[in-house]
Amino acid sequence: MENNTRRNFLKKTALLSTGTIIGSGLFNAAFAAQPVLQIDDLPYEAAVTDTPGTYSLPKLGYSYHGLEPHIDKATMEIHYSKHHQAYVTNLNKAIDTLDKNLIDYSKSLESIFEKMSKFPEAIRNNGGGHYNHSLFWSLMKPNGGGTPKGKLAAAITTTFGSFDEFKKQFSDASMKRFGSGWAWLVVQDGKLVIGSTANQDNPLMRLRGKGLKGKPVLALDVWEHAYYLKNQNRRADYINSFWNVVDWDAAENLFNS
């Protein structure tokens, strides 16, 4: 049964499409903080087109195997080149169907999120998928982990009492997100808040009703495709692995931005 499940998972990922993209504002500071490694199997850098309104994959700051043994190479490659690419491809398709008066192509995804309730589900799902994954990649690095420093570390201690208590609460939010979604550390009204969102929603989206709002500082993808090949259904093991690859410098940059 387990082999069949894994085989079906791989078949589904193989069917996902490919395409092109550009990055967006808030996670640029985190990307800039990461050196680009010159490794033979580093993922390609997708060409950014000159066509307004198109998006392309951001280049990773590490190889597919760069986060091992914590995030395995196979999962990283499929997650980035298939799942993230599919969000990019479908976002570009969705953008092309919009009334050109509805969207200013010179604006970032964040500006779209501010008016999210006015856009169709395809923009919400795929725009969120592109933004969330781009941010996620930037918040990890080889030989990461440890503890934060600087203003972020002080804010974590002030808000949660200790770094260990923060990790516990963030891990709990990651575990308790039912189904697919994301766990977040955000700045909300000047204070750090932990929460989660469903599917590809994020705290920048202005949606009708209640939900987590704030400026992202840390994000964790808890969709099964982020960990199933290595951890199967053991989400807790994946969350524990995440703490070994967190790029706290990137998180600090986001906190201070």
Side-chain angles (χ1 to χ4, degrees):
M1 177 66 103
E2 182 174 306
N3 288 337
N4 288 336
T5 301
R6 179 171 175 148
R7 195 157 37 242
N8 290 336
F9 174 82
L10 291 171
K11 286 181 179 178
K12 289 179 181 178
T13 56
L15 293 174
L16 291 173
S17 58
T18 57
T20 55
I21 72 174
I22 42 186
S24 125
L26 184 59
F27 45 73
N28 285 346
F31 284 158
Q34 295 192 15
V36 175
L37 305 179
Q38 299 301 315
I39 300 176
D40 289 343
D41 64 346
L42 191 70
Y44 71 93
E45 182 172 11
V48 177
T49 72
D50 294 326
T51 305
T54 59
Y55 296 87
S56 58
L57 281 173
K59 188 172 182 178
L60 292 175
Y62 39 83
S63 67
Y64 288 140
H65 65 69
L67 302 180
E68 288 189 330
H70 311 293
I71 308 292
D72 63 289
K73 179 180 178 180
T75 295
M76 193 68 216
E77 182 172 4
I78 292 170
H79 198 173
Y80 172 81
S81 68
K82 301 294 191 244
H83 289 280
H84 189 171
Q85 182 64 75
Y87 287 118
V88 168
T89 301
N90 291 328
L91 174 60
N92 287 330
K93 289 178 180 178
I95 290 285
D96 286 342
T97 67
L98 294 178
D99 182 334
K100 299 306 181 281
N101 294 321
L102 182 62
I103 185 169
D104 180 350
Y105 288 128
S106 67
K107 299 293 181 63
S108 65
L109 280 174
E110 292 96 330
S111 67
I112 294 177
F113 296 156
E114 289 175 358
K115 301 177 181 178
M116 195 72 263
S117 60
K118 296 183 178 181
F119 289 92
E121 286 292 302
I123 301 294
R124 175 178 173 179
N125 293 334
N126 294 294
H130 171 38
Y131 177 91
N132 296 352
H133 282 90
S134 297
L135 184 64
F136 183 48
W137 308 140
S138 77
L139 285 164
M140 297 186 291
K141 68 177 181 180
N143 302 314
T147 59
K149 303 292 190 294
K151 294 180 179 179
L152 176 57
I156 285 174
T157 299
T158 298
T159 304
F160 303 104
S162 68
F163 179 66
D164 286 342
E165 179 60 24
F166 155 71
K167 283 178 62 177
K168 178 181 180 300
Q169 291 188 30
F170 189 92
S171 296
D172 285 348
S174 304
M175 284 297 298
K176 291 176 181 177
R177 167 46 58 186
F178 182 78
S180 300
W182 293 76
W184 302 90
L185 175 67
V186 304
V187 177
Q188 182 185 95
D189 299 326
K191 297 180 180 180
L192 288 176
V193 174
I194 292 171
S196 67
T197 57
N199 301 316
Q200 294 298 347
D201 288 352
N202 65 52
L204 295 174
M205 292 182 177
R206 295 297 177 261
L207 299 164
R208 295 185 179 92
K210 296 181 179 180
L212 180 68
K213 299 292 185 290
K215 179 179 72 172
V217 174
L218 191 67
L220 176 60
D221 186 348
V222 293
W223 283 63
E224 280 196 339
H225 65 237
Y227 59 87
Y228 196 83
L229 287 181
K230 178 178 173 63
N231 302 112
Q232 286 79 54
N233 64 328
R234 301 186 301 275
R235 184 186 287 187
D237 290 352
Y238 162 68
I239 295 168
N240 288 335
S241 294
F242 173 67
W243 296 117
N244 295 300
V245 296
V246 174
D247 184 344
W248 287 114
D249 291 333
E252 173 80 9
N253 288 339
L254 290 173
F255 179 73
N256 293 326
S257 66

